[in-house]
């Protein structure tokens, strides 16, 4: 081959075929140099009289994986992606896109503008822009329906999922799936195209296949329910409808205009913030990026209860053998049965094959002793939240583990320093705080102790990502970050009941804001006995008003344990549907009289501000203490752990959008109303407001 260009996109010639190679690590994003290079490659193809076709391939681990998100924050420099797409679409000679890894977003739009697409076995394609609050803006919504049909295109664009190369072939998006040497296969494909007369094929020339118009409204209703509060999925329906009724050139212009409007919307800014914050959270404060994580190929879990079972499933899901340690054979048998039910549910839903279920379960062994775990790389203790019990487990582990094996505690509020100090080798101790149900919840709070080794911290972070979690490193703090902030929202929700609000009103306000479930419906779901036990564990450290705000204890005493007993804050019918129960009104009235409170009318605004700003204020203290490294880490924790709407960016981003002066004014107001000890603005908020700054500058 003769090298023609030595740029981000290089072009070489093999016979009468040009090969354009994109090399823009790490994911070949469509940066300015790539866009310009692709246009120059097409010009080279057109100017070379001997060249009959061109192949586009990528170096590294993936095809073009999308736009360069860093360019979103500044004016785009020509050529824009639309110009690249127009140039590819307007070529007078066939161009073949050779896909490996992933072709996502603008990367798939590039491929769709080519005459043909071949894909390596195992590769995937998708248009995930909706996850950033935007939609394809360079012909994706115009071309994809012409290849895959309206229903499939709408599903891919409105939900942002990826499909395999095989599925893409079946749906007409990809022309051929190959294995082995992709470049060689692409060149061979191009030679076949030439032999067949170098037939040019433009996707933009294809008609939209016939479809049932009812699909659009059915999809709209389903998306409105599934993605409540999100704007872009519903706009996708409008965009696809427009494409089916509009000439190509006009449709492409309208699509681009829609994408530009969405790009500057508050939702897109918030979603892009979370996208960046999740990646930033992988950077561990004080740990150099060159520190390599330890290998983890075998795990033991102590404690076969609800958390231990869910954690075990997490590791089995990624093919890591697990030894589950319990006190009795009966308890272990119950745990194995419960894990089996998790997988049986997946099999019934069609998301897991029976063979895969059996493969995962075969990786699980159980024991009532600590013998035989000397070769594991990591142990996670998930026993009861009692310090002496956990210390006893640590002593047993110290006696049998290799010196380089990591001990992680799943504690949700015990002192990480005291636990680490109970080990003879504290450098190997860290926290891995999973959230219930562990096999479902995405958040993983990794906790550092003062002496935890840097490579142990790197390991817990890398392992969290491997498990499909959103790992965030936090420091010593009661309740760490997530539960510490949650406790303030819980406090205010309870205080609001004392002041005159109802459970229904509080839940309605917070779900209208965007939370998937209100605090009182959530308490009923978790079980009032569980809530009472958690309260009992902390009550000695509570303020006098919190100690005396014993509404949860009253509900338990009345036998109202939530959904499990048919009544809690709400009463439940045989189908689990909740409704208002006057008995709760009576219980609250009795509590208020006993405590000396007079019920008053509570506005929705007060409910929202007290619940949200109490959390934000506590988060500011957490940042000041160094228990969280960045405000973005807190946003990642709350969007992944407690359903704070991602389209609002998390509590810290939201506070900045509201404006910290307004937040501080509300805190000052409620400090006077509820008490200075509950709402005195954190020192960090005071400083930032004085400096005219927000959490993000």
């Amino acid at each position: 081959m003769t090298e023609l260009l030595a740029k981000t996109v290089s072009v070489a010639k093999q016979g009468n075929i040009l090969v354009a190679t994109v090399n823009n690590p790490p994911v070949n994003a469509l940066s300015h140099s790539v866009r310009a290079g692709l246009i120059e490659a097409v010009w080279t193809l057109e100017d070379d009289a001997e060249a009959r076709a061109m192949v586009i391939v990528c170096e590294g681990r993936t095809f073009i994986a999308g736009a360069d998100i860093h360019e979103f924050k500044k004016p785009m420099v020509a050529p824009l992606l639309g110009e690249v797409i127009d140039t590819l679409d307007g070529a007078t000679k066939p161009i073949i896109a050779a896909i490996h890894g992933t072709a996502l977003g603008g990367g798939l739009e590039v491929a769709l503008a080519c005459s043909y697409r071949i894909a390596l076995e195992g590769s995937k394609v998708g248009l995930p822009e909706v996850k950033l609050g935007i939609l394809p803006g360079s012909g994706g919504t115009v071309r994809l329906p012409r290849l895959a049909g309206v229903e499939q295109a709408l599903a891919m664009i409105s939900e942002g999922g990826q499909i395999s190369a095989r599925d893409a072939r079946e749906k007409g998006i990809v022309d051929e799936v190959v294995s082995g040497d992709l470049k060689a296969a692409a060149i061979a494909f191009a030679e076949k195209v030439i032999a067949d007369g170098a037939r040019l094929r433009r996707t933009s020339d294809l008609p939209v296949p016939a479809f049932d118009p009812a699909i659009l409204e059915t999809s709209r209703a389903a998306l409105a329910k599934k993605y409540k509060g999100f704007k872009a999925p519903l706009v996708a329906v409008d965009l696809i409808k427009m494409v089916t009724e509009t000439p190509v050139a006009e449709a492409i212009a309208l699509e681009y205009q829609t994408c530009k409007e969405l790009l500057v919307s508050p939702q897109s800014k918030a979603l892009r913030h979370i996208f960046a914050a999740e990646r930033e959270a992988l950077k561990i404060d004080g740990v150099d990026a060159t520190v390599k994580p330890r290998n983890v190929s075998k795990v033991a879990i102590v404690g076969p209860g609800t958390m231990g079972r869910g954690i075990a499933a997490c590791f089995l899901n990624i093919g890591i053998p697990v030894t589950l340690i319990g006190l009795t054979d009966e308890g272990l048998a119950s745990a194995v049965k419960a894990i089996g039910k998790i997988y049986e549910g997946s099999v019934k839903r069609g998301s897991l094959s029976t063979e895969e279920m059996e493969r995962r379960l075969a990786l699980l062994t159980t024991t009532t002793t600590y013998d035989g775990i000397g070769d594991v790389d990591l142990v996670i203790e998930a026993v009861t939240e009692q310090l002496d019990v956990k210390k006893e487990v640590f002593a047993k582990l110290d006696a049998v583990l290799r010196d380089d094996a990591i001990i992680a505690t799943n504690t949700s509020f015990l002192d990480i320093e005291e636990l680490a100090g109970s080990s003879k080798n504290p450098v190997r101790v860290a926290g891995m705080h999973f959230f219930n149900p562990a096999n479902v919840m995405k958040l993983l709070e990794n906790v550092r102790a003062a002496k935890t080794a840097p490579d142990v911290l790197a390991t817990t972070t890398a392992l969290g990502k491997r498990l499909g979690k959103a790992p965030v490193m936090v420091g010593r703090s009661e309740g760490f970050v997530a539960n510490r902030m949650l406790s303030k929202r819980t406090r205010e929700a309870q205080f609001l009941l004392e002041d005159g609000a109802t459970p229904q009103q509080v839940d309605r306000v917070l779900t209208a804001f965007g939370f998937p479930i209100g605090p009182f419906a959530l308490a009923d779901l978790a079980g009032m006995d569980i809530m009472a036990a958690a309260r009992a564990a902390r009550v000695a450290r509570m303020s006098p008003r919190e100690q005396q705000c014993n509404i949860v204890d009253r509900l338990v005493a009345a036998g109202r344990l939530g959904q499990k007993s048919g009544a809690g804050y709400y009463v439940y019918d045989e189908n689990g549907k909740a409704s208002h129960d006057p008995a709760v009104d009576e219980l609250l009235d009795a509590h208020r009289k006993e405590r000396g409170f007079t019920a008053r009318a509570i506005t929705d605004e007060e409910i929202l501000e007290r619940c949200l700003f109490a959390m934000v204020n506590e988060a500011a203290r957490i940042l000041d203490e160094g228990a969280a490294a960045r405000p973005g880490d807190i946003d990642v924790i709350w969007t992944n752990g407690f359903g704070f709407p991602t389209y609002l960016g998390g509590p810290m981003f939201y506070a900045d959008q509201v404006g910290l002066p307004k937040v501080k004014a509300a805190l000052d107001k409620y400090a006077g109303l509820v008490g200075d000890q509950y709402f005195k603005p954190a020192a960090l908020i005071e400083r930032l407001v004085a400096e005219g700054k927000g959490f993000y500058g």
Side-chain angles (χ1 to χ4, degrees), residues 638-671:
W638 266 81
T639 53
N640 284 280
F642 293 111
F644 195 102
T646 52
Y647 56 77
L648 293 177
M652 313 311 280
F653 185 88
Y654 172 78
D656 269 10
Q657 302 311 299
V658 170
L660 282 195
K662 182 177 178 180
V663 172
K664 181 184 178 301
L667 291 171
D668 287 333
K669 177 175 69 174
Y670 296 120

Side-chain angles (χ1 to χ4, degrees), residues 38-49:
L38 286 172
I39 288 179
E40 190 170 349
V42 177
W43 291 345
T44 302
L45 171 68
E46 299 287 17
D47 291 343
D48 190 330

